């Protein structure tokens, strides 16, 4: 696998050319598909209207009935950050609107697996306060059997989800999912938390119209206070940051930076050592998201939801500390599994020509809560679709897999083809273009390895297996400055398919050293013996290759960053690729 630095090529539209934006931003926005200046306006008023979501009127009508009759409602969430934030949004919004009997249930991933399964429906129905209505958040679109079982047990189900539907939809009282057939909503990229937030906006509008708040003496809730949750779940779920999602993320970030986030999010920032006024979308994905996800991966996501719902700072701080400890444990488990996976690959003596294009690995003692992260790490190292399998605790004869893909291969569609060609091979599967989950009989693993690799080879080319670093080009010498770095930070939010600007260029290496075991801290200049010195850092480098004291001149792929240390702010290059020239 070789690495190629290629530059984005796109000409600014006439609207961008005629604007007073800096030339650098015109180029950056154009390469991300921005054509109209309206796409850069991030006020809440620019959001598409909830009424455009198919099924939302039926959803509101059923929720209104639940509130009016004070029925028992159970929120059924998912065990990741999107599921946790979705559950919290639903819980807090419904309580603020006057629903007294609302609780949540998140299936334990190790016992029940994902979604509204018939088994988790039985758990809900057996409770002493059996719910009248189940509301799924960030799941449910594929829960055909679970919804049918709930219906048989006398419980209605309202599905709110964003995942791609299968051939059959569940027979719920209402489905709100922008990706369901026939939905005219202009954005297909809402996260689960975005979908339930939209449902709550529509419900509040209806309650206002029927004078519910006035009649009950309730203050109309400000749903804007939930935007910190919406921003966190949206970024952590790695959905495309199209215009509506950028609005939601930007507005949530604004609340957090202003110190108006809930105690749980503030506590997570505190344990991570991140000041709230400097937080970016990157922090949501790489600082808060992993700590929240650690609960679902290793323990019970209820811990994460309790942290997000904590009303007081002290309790939130206690829960955030537990989440931080779990995240440290997760990192340790992940590193051990990664070493085992790489050792397995080395023992079978595969070079890049021999290695399967679709790579599947299984080890009985791997932790199923961490296999998704491991798949991502191996995918990044070998740049090919990867599926990591571990034993499924609830069934000794079944293994569970987590897949991560690369550009050019829609992983769920690939699994669909595997299943169609090999009836009975996959017990179940589902997911997105870039990530998916599945289960199969342990004794069919070899069959699956072969079938998956065949499908991948049909859909990719050898060129697809070359890692490509996409750059926004070179910066002029005068653009390597603090004002430009600050401008780029403010020009976001950046995220999936709307990436933070990255540049490439040649520099002279001045000095280098290892910090924190695996990070290369170094200084570069634009000219040999030049006076303009620029700090740079590359994380998790190969310590067998660096420091490299023979290197004099480098080509770097990097992002401009503002480094803050002991009250001093300085320019820094965040380097993600180094070539010695």
């Amino acid at each position: 696998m070789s690495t190629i630095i290629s530059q984005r090529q796109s000409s600014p539209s006439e609207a961008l050319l005629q604007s007073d934006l800096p030339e650098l931003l015109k180029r950056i926005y154009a390469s991300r598909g921005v054509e109209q200046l309206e796409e850069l306006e991030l006020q809440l008023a620019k959001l598409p209207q909830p009424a455009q979501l198919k099924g939302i009127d039926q959803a509101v009508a059923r929720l209104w009935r639940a509130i009016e009759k004070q029925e028992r409602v159970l929120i059924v969430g998912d065990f990741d950050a999107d599921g946790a934030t979705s559950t919290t949004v639903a819980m807090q919004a419904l309580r603020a609107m006057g629903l007294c009997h609302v609780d949540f249930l998140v299936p334990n991933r190790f016992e029940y697996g994902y979604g509204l399964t018939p088994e988790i429906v039985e758990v809900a129905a057996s409770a002493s306060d059996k719910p009248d209505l189940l509301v799924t958040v960030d799941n449910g679109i594929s829960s055909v059997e679970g919804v049918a079982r709930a219906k048989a047990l006398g419980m209605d189900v309202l599905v709110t989800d964003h995942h791609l539907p299968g051939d059959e939809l569940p027979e719920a009282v209402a489905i709100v999912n922008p990706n369901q057939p026939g939905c005219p909503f202009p954005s297909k990229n809402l996260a689960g938390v975005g979908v339930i937030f939209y449902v709550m906006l529509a419900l509040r509008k209806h309650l206002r119209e029927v004078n519910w708040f006035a009649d009950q003496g309730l203050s109309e809730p400000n749903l804007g206070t939930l935007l910190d949750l919406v921003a966190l779940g949206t970024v952590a779920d790695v959905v495309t940051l199209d215009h509506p999602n950028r609005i939601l993320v930007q507005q949530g970030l604004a609340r957090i930076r202003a110190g108006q986030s809930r105690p749980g999010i503030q506590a997570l920032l505190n344990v991570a050592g991140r000041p709230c006024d400097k937080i970016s979308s990157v922090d949501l994905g790489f600082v808060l998201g992993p700590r929240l996800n650690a609960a679902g991966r290793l323990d019970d996501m209820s811990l994460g939801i309790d942290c997000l719902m904590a009303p007081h700072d002290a309790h939130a701080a206690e829960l955030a500390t537990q989440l931080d400890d779990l995240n440290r444990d997760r990192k340790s488990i992940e590193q051990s599994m990664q070493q085992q996976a790489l050792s397995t690959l080395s023992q079978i003596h595969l070079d890049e020509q021999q290695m399967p294009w679709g790579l599947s690995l299984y080890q009985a003692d791997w932790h199923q809560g961490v296999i998704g992260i491991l798949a991502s790490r191996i995918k990044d190292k070998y740049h090919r679709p990867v599926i990591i399998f571990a034993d499924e605790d609830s069934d000794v004869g079944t293994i569970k897999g987590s897949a991560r893909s690369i550009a050019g291969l829609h992983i769920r569609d690939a699994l669909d083809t595997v299943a169609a060609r090999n009836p009975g091979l996959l017990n179940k599967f589902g997911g997105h273009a870039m990530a998916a989950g599945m289960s199969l009989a342990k004794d069919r693993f070899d069959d699956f390895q072969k079938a998956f690799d065949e499908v991948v080879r049909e859909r990719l080319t050898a060129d697809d297996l070359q890692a490509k670093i996409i750059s926004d080009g070179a910066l002029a010498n005068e653009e390597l400055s603090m004002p430009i770095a600050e401008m780029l930070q403010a020009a976001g939010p950046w995220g999936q398919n709307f990436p933070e600007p990255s540049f490439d260029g040649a520099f002279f290496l001045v000095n280098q050293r290892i910090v924190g075991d695996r990070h290369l801290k170094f200084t570069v200049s634009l000219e040999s013996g030049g006076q303009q010195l620029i700090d740079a850092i590359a994380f998790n480098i190969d310590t067998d290759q660096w420091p490299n004291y023979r290197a004099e001149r480098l080509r770097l792929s990097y992002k401009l960053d503002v480094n803050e240390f002991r009250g001093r702010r300085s320019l820094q290059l965040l380097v993600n690729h180094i070539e010695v020239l």
Side-chain angles (χ1 to χ4, degrees):
M1 180 192 74
S2 59
T3 301
I4 301 171
I5 299 178
S6 58
Q7 296 184 2
R8 294 184 176 92
Q9 301 292 331
S10 185
S11 300
S13 65
E14 190 64 27
L16 288 181
L17 286 173
Q18 297 301 321
S19 72
D20 57 1
L21 289 170
E23 293 301 317
L24 179 60
L25 283 185
K26 290 178 184 178
R27 172 159 56 96
I28 288 170
Y29 284 141
S31 67
R32 284 150 182 78
V34 173
E35 295 184 352
Q36 303 299 325
L37 293 178
E38 289 78 7
E39 298 173 62
L40 303 176
E41 297 177 5
L42 302 180
Q43 305 93 334
L44 288 173
K46 299 297 182 178
L47 283 172
Q49 291 302 303
Q52 296 177 268
L53 280 163
K54 180 181 179 180
I56 202 163
D57 290 341
Q58 296 92 323
V60 166
R62 187 60 187 88
L63 288 168
W64 162 229
R65 177 178 138 196
I67 293 174
E68 186 180 31
K69 296 182 178 300
Q70 286 301 312
E71 294 179 334
R72 297 186 182 278
V73 176
L74 183 69
I75 311 300
V76 181
D78 187 19
F79 35 69
D80 64 2
D82 188 15
T85 53
S86 300
T87 300
T88 307
V89 164
M91 289 286 297
Q92 299 208 323
L94 289 173
R95 285 177 175 174
M97 293 183 200
L99 182 63
C100 297
H101 307 292
V102 56
D103 204 347
F104 72 89
L105 175 64
V106 177
N108 185 298
R109 77 192 302 156
F110 311 112
E111 187 173 356
Y112 296 104
Y114 168 78
L116 187 70
T117 61
E119 293 79 10
I120 205 66
V121 169
E122 296 285 352
V123 171
S126 65
S128 58
D129 52 349
K130 175 184 171 183
D132 303 290
L133 174 64
L134 304 178
V135 179
T136 70
V137 292
D138 191 32
N139 73 95
I141 195 65
S142 61
S143 301
V144 175
E145 295 178 357
V147 171
R149 185 58 184 154
K151 188 176 180 180
L153 293 172
M155 295 178 290
D156 286 342
V157 180
L158 163 59
V159 169
T160 74
D161 200 355
H162 70 119
H163 294 93
L164 298 174
D167 295 333
E168 183 181 0
L169 295 180
E171 293 185 2
V173 296
I175 297 175
V176 184
N177 180 340
N179 288 301
Q180 68 176 306
C183 182
F185 195 75
S187 169
K188 304 302 180 184
N189 299 304
L190 288 177
V193 70
V195 175
I196 191 63
F197 180 70
Y198 259 92
V199 172
M200 293 300 107
L201 288 174
L203 177 60
R204 183 184 63 178
K205 179 176 182 290
H206 178 76
L207 296 180
R208 182 192 302 141
E209 290 171 349
V210 299
N211 291 318
W212 169 256
F213 300 117
D215 291 346
Q216 300 298 314
L218 294 173
S219 298
E220 183 175 315
N222 175 12
L223 297 184
T225 61
L226 302 174
L227 285 166
D228 54 350
L229 294 165
V230 179
L232 172 55
T234 297
V235 174
D237 210 46
V238 203
V239 293
T240 291
L241 283 198
D242 59 9
H243 187 211
N245 278 339
R246 292 202 305 279
I247 293 173
L248 294 172
V249 171
Q250 180 64 20
Q251 293 297 323
L253 285 171
R255 293 196 65 85
I256 298 172
R257 290 167 182 157
Q260 296 174 347
S261 62
R262 66 203 54 255
I265 286 182
Q266 182 60 64
L268 288 170
L269 286 170
N270 290 342
V271 296
R274 291 292 200 278
C276 67
D277 60 329
K278 299 295 194 302
I279 189 173
S280 70
S281 55
V282 174
D283 294 314
L284 295 179
F286 291 97
V287 177
L288 298 188
R291 286 171 170 81
L292 199 55
N293 277 327
R297 294 189 186 281
L298 301 187
D299 191 8
D300 183 348
M301 185 44 92
S302 296
L303 176 64
I305 296 170
D306 288 342
C307 179
L308 294 177
M309 292 182 61
H312 306 299
D313 292 345
H315 186 44
E318 178 184 340
L319 296 173
T321 299
Q322 293 180 43
L323 290 171
D324 191 52
D325 290 341
L326 281 174
N327 192 48
R328 295 176 192 276
D329 292 343
R330 186 271 302 168
K331 287 181 178 179
S332 176
I333 293 170
E334 176 203 332
Q335 289 171 2
S336 175
M337 287 170 56
Q338 185 171 348
Q339 290 172 359
Q340 293 170 7
L342 295 176
S343 174
T344 298
L345 289 172
S346 66
Q347 288 171 12
I348 57 180
H349 306 295
L350 292 177
D351 59 23
E352 288 179 23
Q353 284 69 43
Q354 296 173 308
M355 186 177 293
W357 287 25
L359 187 59
S360 305
L361 297 172
Y362 160 69
Q363 192 156 310
D365 60 350
W366 279 344
H367 194 297
Q368 64 171 282
V370 186
I371 55 177
I373 298 176
L374 178 59
S376 182
R377 297 287 190 266
I378 301 297
K379 180 264 297 182
D380 289 343
K381 181 173 179 63
Y382 292 104
H383 198 70
R384 63 196 62 218
V386 174
I387 307 179
I388 302 295
F389 288 88
D391 281 347
E392 188 168 34
D393 292 346
S394 60
D395 187 343
V396 294
T398 303
I399 57 177
K400 179 183 292 186
S402 188
R404 297 295 184 270
S405 192
I406 62 173
L409 183 83
H410 192 298
I411 191 68
R412 185 195 173 279
D413 288 354
L415 292 173
D416 197 26
T417 300
V418 170
R421 292 180 181 175
N422 304 271
L425 177 58
L426 287 172
N427 295 345
K428 56 184 177 180
F429 66 93
H432 300 292
M434 304 305 288
M438 73 226 65
S439 66
L440 55 96
K442 187 185 301 185
D443 59 9
R444 301 295 305 276
F445 175 67
D446 290 344
D447 296 334
F448 176 82
Q449 274 188 309
K450 180 180 178 182
F452 178 60
D453 184 46
E454 287 177 354
V455 171
V456 172
R457 287 178 182 273
E458 291 172 6
R459 300 193 176 194
L460 294 180
T461 67
D463 184 61
D464 292 325
L465 300 183
Q466 288 189 311
K468 297 179 180 65
I469 295 175
I470 308 300
S471 168
D472 287 293
L475 288 176
N477 290 1
E478 62 273 12
E479 291 176 322
L480 284 161
S481 66
M482 282 283 288
I484 295 296
E486 291 168 339
M487 178 189 75
L488 294 176
Q489 284 185 343
W494 310 106
Q496 182 71 5
N497 293 330
F498 200 80
E500 186 177 4
S502 177
F503 309 98
D504 69 275
F507 298 86
F508 288 91
L509 179 61
V510 178
N511 57 57
Q512 54 185 310
R513 59 191 173 94
I514 297 294
V515 297
D517 294 332
R518 298 179 60 199
H519 312 316
L520 181 69
K521 183 77 173 175
F522 56 112
T523 304
V524 297
S525 69
L526 294 168
E527 300 174 358
S528 179
Q531 298 300 307
Q532 183 182 356
L533 301 181
I534 306 171
D535 291 331
I537 189 165
F539 294 106
N540 299 315
I541 53 88
D542 185 346
T543 53
D544 290 334
Q545 298 186 33
W546 295 95
N548 181 347
Y549 295 108
R550 294 186 300 275
E552 297 181 355
R553 196 161 177 261
L554 310 173
R555 187 185 185 196
L556 306 178
S557 170
Y558 62 91
K559 297 171 183 175
L560 283 186
D561 182 53
V562 178
N563 184 37
E564 299 196 27
F565 183 68
R566 295 179 179 174
R568 178 177 172 265
R569 304 175 82 242
S570 60
L571 181 69
Q572 177 177 252
L573 308 184
L574 293 182
V575 176
N576 68 325
H577 181 69
I578 308 174
E579 294 177 2
V580 177
L581 298 177

